[in-house]
Amino acid sequence: MAADQITYPSTCWECSTACGALVTVEDGRVVKVAPNPGHPYSKGAFCVKGIRALPELTYGADRVVHPMRRAAARGGGAWVRITWDEALDEMAERYAAVAAEFGATALAGAVSGAFFSRGAIVALLLRSMGSPNWMINQDLCGGCRAVSDRVTGLGVVGGEDVENTACALIVGRNPSAADPVQWMALKRARKRGASIVVIDPARIPAVDIADLWLAPRPGTDAAVALAMSHVLISEDLYDRDFVERWCHGFDAFAERSAQYPPARAEELSGVPADQIEKAARMFAEGPSTFISGHGIDAFSAGVQTFRAYHCLLAISGNVDRAGGSRRLKKPAGFRTYLDLLHDPRFRLPAEVEQLTIGAERFPLWAGPEGWQTACHNPSVIEAMLTGNPYRVRAAYVSGVNIVVTYPDTPKTIAALRSLDFLAVATHTMTPTAEIADIVLPKTTTLEEEEVMLQVGGPCVQFTRAAVEPRGEALSDFEIAKGLLARMEARGALAADFLPWPTKRAFNEFLLEGSDISMDDLMAEGYAEFPYALGDFENQTFATPTAKVELYSETLAGLGLEPLPDYAPPRPERHAATARAEFPLVLLTGVREKTYHHSRFREQAWARKVSPDPEIEVHPETAAGHGFGPGEWVIVETPGGPGSCRLRVKVTETTPPGVVRTGMGWWLPEAAAPERGCLEVNINAVMTYDGPWDPMSGSADTRGLPCRVTRLDAAGATRAAAG
Ligand SMILES: Nc1nc2c(c(=O)[nH]1)N[C@H]1C(S)=C(S)[C@@H](COP(=O)(O)OP(=O)(O)OC[C@H]3O[C@@H](n4cnc5c(=O)[nH]c(N)nc54)[C@H](O)[C@@H]3O)O[C@H]1N2
Ligand SMILES: Nc1nc2c(c(=O)[nH]1)N[C@H]1C(S)=C(S)[C@@H](COP(=O)(O)OP(=O)(O)OC[C@H]3O[C@@H](n4cnc5c(=O)[nH]c(N)nc54)[C@H](O)[C@@H]3O)O[C@H]1N2
Ligand code: SF4
Ligand SMILES: [Mo]
């Protein structure tokens, strides 16, 4: 290493895996991002997005490096450079004017979620301006899991103890693509003799290290999980002691699961009964952990499906035990971002929070009692367009590319265009930024400090601001502070819920009550802390009965189904004629190693590795429909707003009758403002209008009926050229 290089321990937070990193700086520039093999959680696991995409994002030619104001009609693609003072003054002026005329609830924020500090900061910014409205993308991600985790009282999401497990049950999760830390841990577990069971309609790489692979028809997992519970109960393989002491509603749950003996589950899911029995017996041996993913989340029966698996986990006695699924651990006194959101010191009056859009429809999801206290997104889109329940007129978007990543792209565009004012903080000019009035340059992971709880560790992690921000980029914290100061000067501040002078002070506040110091964190990049497992007497379950609720009193109180149950998947709920018209089942969201959702599409190396949006098709399906490998097809769904073109990949890993595609596609080189997001983006095909999960408000992003047709020769030529 050159003498003038310094290497810092840090954390990559380009994605929620948050791997331990070593960042090398020379002459004020990051010259290397590498894994930190000494990190207690990631143990050297890392991915190409951290190593390559992050530095290229930071130093790439496409980066937005100064604030800009649009110089033509909205979406016209013409921009002028302005100063931060001009940008923030104009934002304050516009937000204050909307709040004065229509009330502060006419303002909304959008961010990915409170997993990162920017989520909490955007929420506290909006609250300071008097609005409880902020959107998160988690209804499209881990929302069903989170709601199930809360209503059962388990609190186990992210706590899979793969290192010590004897059996890993992987459901709707593709770890080799989605999470290098989990994937490495699974391979280690396999090596030391742990058994692995995969439940996935597709033959994912994890199947290659599995003892057993169950391939249900998409959307039928609840039947499989209930049948597995039935096997545990009828064969007396469940944990009687844990159930008697710590579970509520066992008899009712046993009755419910008895309605799904393996033979019936086989009919509903297509998984042979003997495989369900085998999987149940392997899982019952333990210690076993439940590894779940997006494949059973983000659909309109997601919470019930998750509850079926969560109840299986509970009765198997694998809650908060070594090798099982750990409950959330944090250092005594430490504050997470979610803690901040629920802290009474940073709350608006109850009657204002009750106005959160979606709180009435989905109280477990949106509003004061909701998981992250955010809005229900499709309801906000509706509010922007129709004024129901009231009109949202101005928005601030940061850390989320909603035009591309929300279903129903044309509607999201129309909703954002209907606003009086839109400001977007971003790294590059995305289709969302293209329709803003003001675009703000944001710092990247290499330029901004972050303190976060690593649930998987568990440990607290630190991300170092390794270099000065490029150009005039600012962090979410600095943008929010600048904006609030200007709102205050206009007498338009409801409260100051961001009282810390700097991001460092904010980070110190998170650590304040704990034994961990900023110095410790900076020196190592992480800090471990002691915790207890299985201390159910002192750390009770956060439910009305203080037990794990197999029968949910919370759901019963809301008039919702208190026991987990199976519901037929979307294609089966359609009339036969519609099924004939849309004969295939669409799964979206296949993760590509080169991209993070819509990000890094401007990077040449990534586009070289993954040049086209693909659709995976079984050889039988391809033959039946006359698709050849590499041909372009268009995809449509019933009630969807449009179509998109994708390139056929013929593969036996996808089952017949099912097609799988990714998400997040757009073409930075294509014409503004859409930049291809209406042509190659799967969300241009799907509706966001429901049906919604009655508990979490999630819409179907998988298991949808669809129609796939070949592009004609002319279309194919256009596509290849485009
Ligand atoms: N490289 C890269 N990594 C990423 C991301 C990225 O964009 N790029 N995104 C990150 C984010 S935010 C997320 S949420 C995760 C998502 O990553 P995962 O949680 O792994 O989710 P998916 O890849 O959407 O789907 C996982 C599996 O579910 C299966 N599946 C589909 N339908 C069903 C079903 O009905 N039942 C069952 N049992 N399985 C089903 C699919 O075939 C797929 O193999 O990845 C994270 N990691
Ligand atoms: N059809 C379909 N739709 C899906 C999914 C699916 O499987 N199918 N998956 C859903 C899931 S799981 C998720 S999590 C969402 C993801 O949806 P998004 O969060 O919208 O995805 P990203 O492309 O990661 O968008 C991040 C954007 O925020 C900007 N940004 C601003 N500040 C920051 C910052 O500090 N850090 C980072 N990293 N970015 C910043 C970046 O420039 C980038 O444009 O999409 C969802 N949408
Ligand atoms: S998986 Fe890749 S992008 Fe995500 S935190 Fe780890 S290195 Fe960064
Ligand atoms: Mo996600």
Side-chain angles (χ1 to χ4, degrees), residues 596-631:
H596 203 73
H597 314 124
S598 73
R599 270 183 280 150
F600 314 137
R601 308 277 163 176
E602 73 288 353
Q603 299 193 10
W605 69 274
R607 290 290 288 283
K608 208 166 162 189
V609 177
S610 312
D612 296 310
E614 287 184 331
I615 183 161
E616 296 181 2
V617 179
H618 189 271
E620 274 173 31
T621 316
H625 288 75
F627 309 145
E631 280 181 348

Side-chain angles (χ1 to χ4, degrees), residues 49 141 171-174 177-178 199-202 204 216-221 293-296 587-593 595-597 660 702:
K49 295 175 291 161
C141 180
V171 186
R173 175 79 169 169
N174 185 6
I199 306 188
D200 197 305
I204 53 171
R217 280 192 289 274
T220 62
D221 282 76
H294 202 201
I296 50 168
L587 303 181
T588 75
V590 175
R591 263 51 191 173
E592 291 173 88
K593 288 190 180 163
Y595 300 122
H596 203 73
H597 314 124
R660 285 168 90 227
R702 53 250 309 118

Side-chain angles (χ1 to χ4, degrees), residues 180-491:
V181 175
Q182 200 173 58
W183 183 229
M184 273 184 59
L186 282 164
K187 288 200 283 195
R188 279 194 298 271
R190 175 70 195 162
K191 246 195 186 147
R192 54 170 179 75
S195 55
I196 292 179
V197 179
V198 171
I199 306 188
D200 197 305
R203 195 193 155 93
I204 53 171
V207 172
D208 295 334
I209 60 164
D211 299 86
L212 189 61
W213 169 38
L214 275 51
R217 280 192 289 274
T220 62
D221 282 76
V224 175
L226 287 165
M228 285 174 71
S229 283
H230 177 66
V231 173
L232 260 64
I233 295 168
S234 61
E235 297 186 5
D236 204 13
L237 299 174
Y238 70 99
D239 187 333
R240 255 174 208 282
D241 183 50
F242 183 77
V243 164
E244 270 162 28
R245 293 188 63 193
W246 301 114
C247 293
H248 170 71
F250 178 72
D251 292 342
F253 175 69
E255 236 172 80
R256 173 57 52 84
S257 46
Q259 292 167 8
Y260 296 93
R264 177 153 185 243
E266 173 172 343
E267 276 168 37
L268 297 171
S269 68
V271 180
D274 62 326
Q275 285 189 12
I276 296 177
E277 285 160 7
K278 210 167 156 192
R281 289 175 198 138
M282 283 171 94
F283 190 71
E285 258 180 42
S288 304
T289 190
F290 168 53
I291 298 177
S292 61
H294 202 201
I296 50 168
D297 212 308
F299 84 112
S300 58
V303 180
Q304 285 294 62
T305 300
F306 255 98
R307 285 216 301 146
Y309 281 112
H310 277 151
C311 290
L312 169 69
L313 179 77
I315 66 165
S316 73
N318 283 299
V319 179
D320 218 24
R321 125 189 221 209
S325 293
R326 215 175 29 235
R327 297 159 80 202
L328 179 76
K329 307 296 173 198
K330 57 181 177 181
F334 179 80
R335 297 184 179 96
T336 65
Y337 303 132
L338 267 184
D339 292 337
L340 282 190
L341 293 175
H342 289 278
D343 188 326
R345 278 176 291 181
F346 309 115
R347 306 290 301 246
L348 287 167
E351 62 277 13
V352 178
E353 292 202 348
Q354 202 45 52
L355 298 173
T356 310
I357 295 172
E360 224 170 293
R361 267 176 179 162
F362 302 107
L364 295 173
W365 180 257
E369 304 303 324
W371 171 43
Q372 296 200 3
T373 73
C375 295
H376 177 241
N377 290 342
S379 299
V380 178
I381 301 280
E382 199 177 308
M384 288 174 179
L385 287 169
T386 68
N388 174 36
Y390 52 82
R391 200 174 286 276
V392 167
R393 295 173 186 270
Y396 173 58
V397 176
S398 176
V400 68
N401 186 6
I402 66 179
V403 165
V404 177
T405 54
Y406 285 4
D408 203 339
T409 311
K411 196 166 178 178
T412 312
I413 292 174
L416 294 182
R417 280 180 175 275
S418 78
L419 296 172
D420 294 353
F421 182 72
L422 173 65
V424 174
T426 190
H427 296 133
T428 63
M429 284 309 286
T430 62
T432 307
E434 286 288 356
I435 47 177
D437 298 289
I438 298 256
V439 172
L440 306 173
K442 268 270 339 223
T443 44
T444 73
T445 310
L446 298 173
E447 303 163 338
E448 188 180 340
E449 178 174 299
E450 180 97 342
V451 169
M452 80 186 305
L453 181 69
Q454 168 58 268
V455 177
C459 58
V460 174
Q461 294 190 162
F462 174 70
T463 298
R464 178 183 288 266
V467 287
E468 288 296 314
R470 187 171 153 208
E472 297 180 359
L474 292 182
S475 70
D476 282 292
F477 184 84
E478 293 163 320
I479 297 170
K481 289 294 284 186
L483 182 56
L484 288 181
R486 286 162 175 84
M487 295 291 282
E488 190 176 20
R490 287 164 176 78

Side-chain angles (χ1 to χ4, degrees), residues 53-89:
L54 173 57
E56 278 204 29
L57 174 75
T58 306
Y59 298 115
D62 285 9
R63 175 127 180 236
V64 174
V65 288
H66 46 71
M68 298 189 294
R69 179 193 291 129
R70 68 177 165 85
R74 190 176 278 165
W79 300 93
V80 292
R81 177 176 178 171
I82 55 174
T83 65
W84 269 107
D85 273 334
E86 288 170 310
L88 292 169
D89 278 336

